[in-house]
Amino acid sequence: MTSISERARASVSEMPERQQSIAERFRQVAEEWAEHDAAFYMLENTRTSLHSELTLKEIAKGTAVSRAEHVAKASQTYRDHVTRAGDEKHKANVLKARMDYLRMRERKEDREAWNERTERKMGRSVT
């Protein structure tokens, strides 16, 4: 059974982006950013353990320690891991920039609304 808030989120997500409020778009982007940032965090924090694991496998084959470290860093597995971490960080950075843009846009709309109210008040007080 889904909760009311889950159903509401689902219906809002189905709306065209232009019809969604800035706050809702910000929430969606923030959730997506959190997922990519967490993925980067996990990949970054497992990088050294992966390197150690690959190094130990090479040492077990009889490779010298210094050579094993170089082989581990040059392995496709390690490079793929680092590439995935970089991709996740890139996605998180792009989403962070979108969040900043939405914040700026909301502030601009707030300032414009405040200016309109101020101008209306000034117009009433002059007459």
Side-chain angles (χ1 to χ4, degrees):
M1 185 168 158
T2 58
S3 69
I4 293 172
S5 62
E6 288 171 340
R7 287 189 303 238
R9 275 194 207 129
S11 66
V12 168
S13 297
E14 293 169 3
M15 288 176 139
E17 191 171 305
R18 283 228 178 272
Q19 292 178 355
Q20 295 173 2
S21 69
I22 290 177
E24 178 57 26
R25 288 199 314 254
F26 184 88
R27 182 194 63 77
Q28 290 172 348
V29 171
E31 285 178 358
E32 194 176 345
W33 170 80
E35 289 175 21
H36 289 290
D37 191 56
F40 167 73
Y41 179 81
M42 291 300 295
L43 289 166
E44 183 62 22
N45 285 311
T46 57
R47 183 176 53 84
T48 54
S49 61
L50 175 64
H51 179 260
S52 298
E53 184 181 315
L54 294 170
T55 302
L56 287 173
K57 284 181 182 177
E58 287 299 316
I59 292 171
K61 293 178 187 176
T63 309
V65 174
S66 60
R67 173 99 175 111
E69 288 178 351
H70 291 292
V71 170
K73 281 192 175 179
S75 73
Q76 190 62 46
T77 304
Y78 186 79
R79 285 185 291 171
D80 289 346
H81 187 85
V82 171
T83 300
R84 279 195 314 270
D87 290 346
E88 290 298 329
K89 185 64 174 174
H90 172 75
K91 290 173 187 174
N93 285 342
V94 168
L95 291 165
K96 190 74 157 175
R98 283 183 65 197
M99 288 168 43
D100 289 342
Y101 167 75
L102 290 168
R103 269 193 206 106
M104 289 187 303
R105 193 157 153 219
E106 184 177 40
R107 286 185 192 133
K108 180 183 177 218
E109 288 179 8
D110 288 347
R111 277 193 310 271
E112 288 171 354
W114 183 82
N115 286 341
E116 279 182 31
R117 286 191 304 271
T118 304
E119 288 172 3
R120 279 196 307 264
K121 286 179 187 177
M122 288 174 66
R124 283 185 286 195
S125 64
V126 171
T127 57

